[in-house]
Amino acid sequence: MDASPSPEAAPGPPGHQPAPVVVPAPGHPASAFPPAPVPASPFRRLVTPVAVMAAVIGAFGYVGAVDPNQPGHYPVCPMLQVTGLFCPGCGGLRSAHAVAHGDIAAAFGSNALAVVGYAIFAAVWVVWMVRASRGMPVRINLAPAYWWGIGAVLLIFTVVRNLPFGSVLAP
């Protein structure tokens, strides 16, 4: 005799009833394979990366028009205001302003890590556009070691730019 409990006798929360299982009748169209997904049109595939780039261009356009070097336009970095230390993002707006005006040297002087980030974003965006135009999925699955490495770079950049010998990295 089998001592395993039957599915009907499975305990559950009070008042819980399992959902009924619906099985289509033999020969019914629903019993066949599910319909194949309709491929997305090129317009639908490209709408998201184009919208993301439009938002980035809008943000860079705004920062290019409203100078972060003039006080009062943007809030002060909370870490800088509370501790007096530069965070990894300090100087990022000034860097974006310089990039918007084509002054890459000034952008590196404001926040070199941000400029590297802009370049990485541009490369990833191009890959995204190419893959989306071909109907291929885009997935960036970085192993945890890469995320730890990115965190370590940010931490080292933050520490070094706040030390006397790393003042060249300070905004």
Side-chain angles (χ1 to χ4, degrees), residues 53-102:
M53 184 53 75
V56 168
I57 289 171
F60 269 79
Y62 179 79
V63 172
V66 180
D67 191 357
N69 295 305
Q70 303 298 321
H73 294 293
Y74 300 98
V76 177
C77 171
M79 184 171 165
L80 180 62
Q81 190 173 22
V82 172
T83 66
L85 299 173
F86 298 117
C87 77
C90 280
L93 285 175
R94 288 181 293 252
S95 175
H97 180 78
V99 167
H101 288 275

Side-chain angles (χ1 to χ4, degrees), residues 23-33:
V23 178
H28 188 271
S31 65
F33 291 107

